[in-house]
Structures are given as C-alpha cells and as structure tokens.
Amino acid sequence: MASKNAVVIFSNSTCCMCHAIKRLLCGMGVNPTVYELDNYNTTWQQALFTLLANSSSDLPVVFIGGKLLGSMDTIMAAHINGTLVPLLKDAGALWL
C-alpha cells in the first residue's frame, strides 16, 4: 500500500498529531494518500504496528517514496532541518 503512492499516511481521524501532519503536507502542496485506521477494523492497526515492530503504536505513520519515514517527530525534524522537501521531490510528491 505504501509503495503505490508518493506519500502515504496511516492515521486516526481523531488524532491531533495526525491532523497536524496532514495539514503540514497539504499546505506544502502534497496530496497524500491517507488511511484512517479508525475507519477499519482494529486488525488493520494491529497489523501495521506488528509489521513496523512499533511497540509504542505512534500515529501518524508516514511513508514517502515507499519508504518509512516515521511519525510526527521525524516528519517535523525533517521539515525543520530542510530535508523533507527534497524527499518529497524525489518521491514525485512535489514538482517545484
């Protein structure tokens, strides 16, 4: 699922951190594919965290260019240090 789109976010519709990341990326002109895990059965979320070996169950989980970038802290750090835009360009999510 993550490799079929330039940017994929696994999110929860009531999560404020998920909302912040979606707003950040959309504000930059990125059109991410978003999977709201609370709209699926709990097996989806459990399977995602099992695959990622993420015992803390942090959302959002963001993939850029088919590669796991991370959660809120990783995305914000990449944005602040200037590495997020090049990643988005390389993935084909930004053209400017």
Side-chain angles (χ1 to χ4, degrees):
M1 293 169 71
S3 64
K4 295 185 183 221
N5 299 287
V7 178
V8 175
I9 302 172
F10 290 94
S11 175
N12 187 321
S13 61
T14 60
C15 170
C16 63
M17 299 301 180
C18 298
H19 178 74
I21 291 299
K22 290 183 277 188
R23 296 295 306 149
L24 170 68
L25 293 172
C26 289
M28 297 172 76
V30 175
N31 186 24
T33 299
V34 179
Y35 293 98
E36 299 289 359
L37 296 177
D38 54 333
N39 292 336
Y40 299 95
N41 63 40
T42 56
T43 305
W44 270 71
Q45 189 168 351
Q46 292 169 348
L48 175 66
F49 291 126
T50 299
L51 287 171
L52 298 175
N54 185 345
S55 59
S56 64
S57 301
D58 291 333
L59 286 175
V61 175
V62 180
F63 289 83
I64 297 178
K67 297 178 184 168
L68 174 64
L69 188 58
S71 190
M72 175 77 170
D73 55 347
T74 308
I75 304 302
M76 293 307 294
H79 178 57
I80 290 167
N81 70 25
T83 59
L84 182 58
V85 170
L87 287 172
L88 293 168
K89 286 182 180 178
D90 290 344
L94 286 176
W95 290 274
L96 299 175

